[in-house]
Amino acid sequence: MKAMVINRYGPPEVLEYATLERPVPKEDELLVKVRATSVNPVECAMRRGELKLLVRLKFPAVLGVDVSGEIVEMGQAVSDFRVGDAVYAFVALPRSGGYAEYAVVRAAWAGRKPANLSDAEAAVVPGVGLTALQALRDRVRLQTGQRVLINGGAGGVGTFAIQIARALGARVTAVCSAPKVDLVRRLGAERVIDYAREDFAKDRDCYDVILDCVGNRTFWTYRRMLRTGGIHVAITPTPKQFLFSKLSMLTPGKASQVFLVQPDGKGLEFLRGLIEAGQVRPVIDRTYTLPQMAEAHRYIETKRATGKVAVTVTV
């Protein structure tokens, strides 16, 4: 099979188009013919070697945590799917494998692809969609009527978080740059702050939940913006964010947490319901082909992408 691999850590140029043996699924796994995948900042960090302490890659390594495609083979213990089913999945970081024509996915990590999405559209959902869903619904248990601030509202996680928060009945304020204000408002933000014109940190005691998708402010800034009992959730697992999480335990009443997304087929089924009901839709900035993966990584690293970057693999 064809795949994009890396044989060492480094810049986007280390991504190479190669031929590998097709993987074989274990008894609880699916072999998926990958129609599309996506590029996430975490994969760029893995390629640069910045996550060595969390994920040790074995070279040649195939990156890619998002998969959309068709089941072509299954393990004997799988009963919830059939060969030929269209599925999408988030693959745990140590496994990855989405940058290839075929990928092995645990059946428990997969969901049926939303019927109203193309493979490219479905491929941008799993990682960021589950991040937003698990952070807001499961971690902080966002309630109807609560106020949530989303810093980085036009990014991959942010565009999903706005829509999921609205679907959960929350009132959303989102922070983004001026060219993206109209999009973020259309996604459902009640209030949109252009960070170049207004300092969103001037808000005081306003929010029940702050979802930080950027990591450019400290918890002490966010703490002033939280109501009593409020929670700040960071999705950037940096040492600084972990330190803020520990320190927040010394100041009861307002908490900081670092959130790491987990593969979850049931969560993907929940997202499928929202997508097919028209409550959530993916936002795609650009689409590349598998041989253009290095170019896609370079674009992600500009940090100018609106929503997600999709990559078509097979047709």
Side-chain angles (χ1 to χ4, degrees):
M1 69 173 185
K2 295 296 185 182
M4 292 300 297
V5 305
I6 63 171
N7 288 290
R8 60 185 176 88
Y9 297 115
E13 288 72 27
V14 302
L15 286 156
E16 302 176 13
Y17 203 43
T19 301
L20 302 177
E21 290 188 10
R22 196 171 89 170
V24 177
K26 296 178 181 178
E27 63 176 13
D28 62 344
E29 294 178 336
L30 312 171
L31 179 64
V32 177
K33 183 176 179 62
V34 182
R35 304 292 186 187
T37 183
S38 78
V39 180
N40 298 280
V42 68
E43 293 151 4
C44 296
M46 291 173 68
R47 189 208 72 233
R48 295 191 297 264
E50 295 172 3
L51 299 182
K52 292 179 184 178
L53 295 179
L54 293 176
V55 182
R56 294 292 297 184
L57 296 178
K58 181 180 178 181
F59 300 119
V62 181
L63 305 178
V65 298
D66 290 321
V67 167
S68 176
E70 177 186 339
I71 299 173
V72 294
E73 190 178 337
M74 302 187 311
Q76 293 182 348
V78 179
S79 59
D80 295 336
F81 296 98
R82 297 288 182 269
V83 170
D85 283 350
V87 295
Y88 68 153
F90 170 67
V91 187
L93 283 180
R95 296 279 298 270
S96 297
Y99 294 2
E101 291 181 312
Y102 294 89
V104 165
V105 177
R106 287 183 183 172
W109 295 351
R112 286 170 175 78
K113 183 179 78 69
N116 56 339
L117 296 186
S118 67
D119 279 299
E121 290 170 329
V124 306
V125 175
V128 294
L130 285 176
T131 298
L133 179 67
Q134 292 175 4
L136 295 174
R137 185 194 66 177
D138 304 334
R139 177 60 65 88
V140 305
R141 301 186 184 279
L142 191 65
Q143 301 296 311
T144 298
Q146 286 189 317
R147 294 194 61 187
V148 55
L149 174 78
I150 299 169
N151 185 18
V157 174
T159 51
F160 279 92
I162 292 169
Q163 297 175 85
I164 290 170
R166 281 298 303 271
L168 295 174
R171 300 175 60 189
V172 181
T173 296
V175 181
C176 64
S177 62
K180 303 171 183 180
V181 167
D182 288 343
L183 167 67
V184 168
R185 187 172 286 116
R186 289 197 301 273
L187 292 176
E190 181 178 298
R191 177 187 173 204
V192 184
I193 299 173
D194 170 9
Y195 61 75
R197 300 184 60 182
E198 182 181 352
D199 183 5
F200 67 89
K202 291 182 179 179
D203 288 348
R204 293 289 185 270
D205 303 321
C206 288
Y207 302 104
D208 300 287
V209 174
I210 296 176
L211 181 63
D212 182 14
C213 306
V214 182
N216 60 347
R217 298 293 181 103
T218 70
F219 169 63
W220 310 115
T221 297
Y222 289 125
R223 192 176 192 280
R224 294 191 294 269
M225 303 166 65
L226 287 169
R227 293 173 173 171
T228 301
I231 303 176
H232 159 250
V233 180
I235 65 168
T236 51
T238 63
K240 183 172 64 175
Q241 295 292 359
F242 281 109
L243 176 61
F244 290 151
S245 179
K246 295 295 185 182
L247 291 175
S248 74
M249 297 179 184
L250 304 176
T251 56
K254 300 178 181 181
S256 178
Q257 300 182 8
V258 181
F259 175 78
L260 299 175
V261 63
Q262 300 296 320
D264 180 13
K266 292 182 179 179
L268 290 176
E269 288 293 332
F270 183 85
L271 287 172
R272 178 169 69 91
L274 294 180
I275 291 168
E276 291 182 346
Q279 292 180 277
V280 172
R281 63 184 177 90
V283 176
I284 295 180
D285 186 309
R286 297 185 182 185
T287 301
Y288 294 87
T289 62
L290 189 61
Q292 297 174 314
M293 187 63 75
E295 184 179 346
H297 270 236
R298 279 191 289 270
Y299 181 61
I300 285 291
E301 290 180 327
T302 67
K303 298 182 179 181
R304 294 198 300 264
T306 300
K308 291 280 292 175
V309 168
V311 178
T312 56
V313 178
T314 58
V315 295

